[in-house]
């Protein structure tokens, strides 16, 4: 037991190494948050283009471009996308955190597009016609009627996508970005102990994911309660 405590102390306490874990965790969450914002923006735009084309047939070329983007991004490993952007596209830029966020944002956008597409399709078909009959343009109908309902419908899977990003961004350490996944290697090079640095990083990931999962369950429960209340009010009428 004493030996285990000594190894833990070297990996976490000696020379305030716990600060390295916290800094890495902060960078991990920052990358995931920025990537989620980028991915949701891209995904909603892609899904909206496909939805408008499906309803009006006016964006056929844009739809083909969007589908090509989704196919390429989903068909190639994210680690290769990261290396291409880090070593080639943004080779002139020394902001690794932003490059990581952009990479995972672009990657996430292709997956969010499918989530958003399901959200758009869950909105009743008559909503678009109703908006147009009120004199609204296609964009005004999307912005004021369709998008708010679609976002609400796909909020839980979008939050789950953020949880996935927190875990998936651990590969940014491959290109030297200082995140939580990179810290165990740095500590190991000083303590020559692989086990405890990895266990500590894994425990921090687990705590964050469990906390976010708890938030997700609260969101789902609140939405389910709201749906029941709305249904009860409708039946009462």
């Amino acid at each position: 037991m004493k030996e285990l405590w000594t190894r833990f102390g070297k990996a976490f306490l000696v020379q305030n190494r716990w600060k390295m874990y916290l800094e890495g965790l902060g960078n991990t969450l920052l990358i995931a948050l920025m990537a989620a914002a980028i991915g949701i923006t891209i995904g909603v735009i892609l899904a909206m283009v496909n939805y408008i084309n499906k309803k009006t047939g006016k964006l056929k070329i844009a739809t083909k471009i969007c589908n090509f983007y989704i196919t390429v991004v989903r068909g190639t490993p994210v680690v290769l996308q990261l290396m291409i952007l880090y070593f080639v596209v943004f080779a002139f830029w020394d902001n690794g955190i932003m490059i990581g966020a952009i990479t995972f944002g672009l990657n996430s956008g292709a997956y969010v597009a499918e989530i958003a597409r399901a959200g758009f399709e869950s909105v009743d078909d008559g909503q678009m016609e109703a908006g147009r009959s009120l004199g609204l343009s296609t964009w005004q109908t999307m912005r004021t009627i369709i998008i708010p309902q679609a976002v609400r419908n796909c909020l839980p899977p979008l939050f789950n996508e953020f949880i996935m990003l927190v875990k998936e961004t651990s590969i940014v350490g491959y290109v030297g970005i200082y995140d939580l996944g990179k810290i165990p290697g740095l500590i190991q090079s000083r303590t020559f102990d692989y086990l405890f640095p990895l266990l500590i990083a894994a425990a921090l990931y687990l705590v964050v994911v469990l906390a976010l999962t708890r938030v997700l369950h609260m969101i789902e429960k609140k939405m389910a309660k709201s749906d029941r209340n709305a249904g009860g009010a409708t039946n009462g009428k």
Side-chain angles (χ1 to χ4, degrees), residues 105-124:
L106 293 173
N107 181 270
S108 178
Y111 294 90
V112 171
E114 293 302 304
I115 297 174
R117 179 189 60 78
F120 283 130
E121 292 183 353
S122 68
V123 178
D124 187 83

Side-chain angles (χ1 to χ4, degrees), residues 36-54:
I38 295 171
I40 290 173
T41 301
I42 293 175
V44 169
I45 291 173
L46 295 177
M48 189 165 58
V49 168
N50 278 280
Y51 181 81
I52 292 175
N53 178 67
K54 181 178 179 181

Side-chain angles (χ1 to χ4, degrees), residues 25-68:
L25 177 59
N27 289 337
T28 291
L29 294 176
L30 179 60
I31 292 172
L33 280 170
M34 291 191 295
I38 295 171
I40 290 173
T41 301
I42 293 175
V44 169
I45 291 173
L46 295 177
M48 189 165 58
V49 168
N50 278 280
Y51 181 81
I52 292 175
N53 178 67
K54 181 178 179 181
K55 296 299 181 181
T56 66
K58 294 180 178 180
L59 298 175
K60 293 182 179 179
I61 296 178
T63 298
K64 290 182 179 180
I65 295 174
C66 291
N67 290 337
F68 176 77

Side-chain angles (χ1 to χ4, degrees), residues 225-237:
K225 182 178 179 180
S226 176
D227 290 339
R228 288 195 299 270
N229 291 338
T234 301
N235 293 333
K237 291 181 180 180

